[in-house]
Amino acid sequence: MHELSLMTAAMEQVQALAQRNGATRIHRIRMRVGALSGVVPEALEFAFETLKSGTPAAEATLEIERVPAIFHCAGCGKDLPLESVEFDCPECGGPLTLAGGGRELELADMEIS
Ligand SMILES: [Zn+2]
């Protein structure tokens, strides 16, 4: 399970950061997950629930911020944020090309004490 190893790495990062800041408890973790990152947010949440017990994050909540990918339409010239890969513009049917974003998988923020 891909998400389990990703979450293991994220938890290590969070705990290292907490330790460096002299914190003993982690209350909240926020992650940014791009629409094209190949990561299933629900699987990430499940991995978090599995991994957090017995750690300083045992009582923590995980928030996942979904980041859309931006597609550019050659037909109407619009930039459209989309949650999945589309080939035709939903507005004019023109061809879409990926303009950026959507591949994020990162720790955005955390609350510790
Ligand atoms: Zn269009």
Side-chain angles (χ1 to χ4, degrees):
M1 188 174 151
H2 186 50
E3 282 80 2
L4 190 60
S5 56
L6 288 170
M7 201 63 225
T8 304
M11 291 285 278
E12 280 168 9
Q13 194 188 350
V14 164
Q15 287 181 59
L17 278 168
Q19 206 168 22
R20 213 177 304 155
N21 287 289
T24 52
R25 290 188 61 191
I26 297 156
H27 304 286
R28 195 171 60 87
I29 299 166
R30 197 155 59 85
M31 289 181 79
R32 287 161 58 85
V33 176
L36 308 181
S37 64
V39 172
V40 181
E42 290 74 23
L44 209 54
E45 277 167 17
F46 181 78
F48 177 69
E49 293 303 321
T50 308
L51 292 166
K52 72 179 189 179
S53 67
T55 75
E59 305 294 320
T61 54
L62 174 68
E63 283 174 25
I64 294 174
E65 183 189 330
R66 301 211 60 174
V67 185
I70 308 297
F71 287 84
H72 182 76
C73 173
C76 62
K78 280 184 185 164
D79 287 322
L80 305 156
L82 297 174
E83 289 289 331
S84 61
V85 178
E86 304 287 345
F87 298 101
D88 303 314
C89 176
E91 295 191 18
C92 75
L96 294 176
T97 49
L98 183 61
R103 302 209 179 270
E104 296 81 354
L105 181 66
E106 59 199 18
L107 189 63
D109 194 17
M110 59 190 247
E111 228 173 75
I112 52 176
S113 68

